[in-house]
Amino acid sequence: MPTSRSYGDACTIARALDVVGERWALLVVRELLLGPQRFSDVRRALPGASSNLVTDRLRELESHGVVTRRQLPPPAASTVYELTGWGRELEPVVLALGAWGARVPLPRPASLGVTSVLLFLRGSARPRGTACYRVELDARVWTVRTEPGRLTIEPGEPGAPDAAIRTDPSTLNALLEQPSDLEKAIADNRITIEGDRNAVRRLLHEHES
């Protein structure tokens, strides 16, 4: 059930936490940073949260004006959730929290979600050229575009990609850390590449760990 608990504190930090301080709320925000998502996509990205809990967090964030939902036109005709303009202002806060949390020991066992590795790719990339990639991670497709000094990511199929990549988040994360392992990952069938393999090499190399 959605909660309306408040710290009852006039401090702006406490008031912000009244909105996004519930468990899983900021992780729901994280999942929407790369664009609109269906409920099933958000739910699958947060396996530790029940369907009811994810529903509650989305409702709370929507009631506070952080998240909105809309109906996609046919043929999709499905409902998606996305950040409002105010909600998108949380992006630097969430990313800064992630940078701060890098020194926190990893839980055991630990999983790595699609959004997390894509945010890492976007934040660390320093591309020098222009290219378009179709990236399929855990059966979801993303469009990744590079231009000098900038990398963008959005959900959905690209029009004419230079290369297509199909893998899992952990493998992509490992290759961003150690791009020289690409050929071994291909041989082990942990990653499949179609199109310009050199473009994929550039994508893996043009980032800062």
Side-chain angles (χ1 to χ4, degrees), residues 90-102:
L90 282 165
E91 180 166 347
V93 177
V94 174
L95 296 180
L97 188 62
W100 182 83

Side-chain angles (χ1 to χ4, degrees), residues 7-200:
Y7 287 103
D9 189 326
C11 171
T12 54
I13 296 171
R15 285 151 54 193
L17 291 174
D18 283 345
V19 175
V20 296
E22 288 292 334
R23 185 168 170 80
W24 299 101
L26 280 178
L27 294 186
V28 169
V29 171
R30 179 196 68 188
E31 292 305 314
L32 300 178
L33 288 179
L34 294 177
Q37 307 284 353
R38 297 171 301 173
F39 174 83
S40 57
D41 297 325
V42 179
R43 170 69 183 87
R44 182 171 58 177
L46 303 173
S50 68
S51 292
N52 287 343
L53 195 152
V54 174
T55 298
D56 288 348
R57 292 298 90 87
L58 284 167
R59 285 176 178 169
E60 291 161 8
L61 291 168
E62 186 178 6
S63 70
H64 286 297
V66 175
V67 167
T68 188
R69 54 180 163 169
R70 61 182 170 88
Q71 192 81 10
L72 294 178
S78 58
T79 300
V80 294
Y81 293 86
E82 59 187 335
L83 295 172
T84 63
W86 188 47
R88 185 152 292 284
E89 292 176 19
L90 282 165
E91 180 166 347
V93 177
V94 174
L95 296 180
L97 188 62
W100 182 83
R103 287 181 288 177
V104 177
L106 280 171
R108 292 288 186 264
S111 61
L112 182 66
V114 172
T115 303
S116 296
V117 70
L118 290 177
L119 286 173
F120 172 65
L121 170 62
R122 190 188 66 177
S124 62
R126 300 295 182 268
R128 293 184 292 275
T130 300
C132 177
Y133 304 85
R134 180 189 190 273
V135 179
E136 182 176 335
L137 297 169
D138 288 350
R140 291 205 61 203
V141 176
W142 303 81
T143 296
V144 176
R145 300 183 190 278
T146 63
E147 57 187 67
R150 184 168 182 258
L151 182 147
T152 60
I153 300 173
E154 60 186 29
E157 293 276 357
D162 298 289
I165 301 166
R166 185 170 65 251
T167 186
D168 60 84
S170 294
T171 297
L172 179 56
N173 187 67
L175 289 173
L176 290 171
E177 296 284 357
Q178 194 65 46
S180 59
D181 288 344
L182 178 61
E183 295 303 323
K184 185 176 187 303
I186 293 172
D188 293 342
N189 294 316
R190 289 182 288 123
I191 185 171
T192 301
I193 297 173
E194 297 177 5
D196 188 348
R197 191 172 292 188
N198 285 329
V200 175

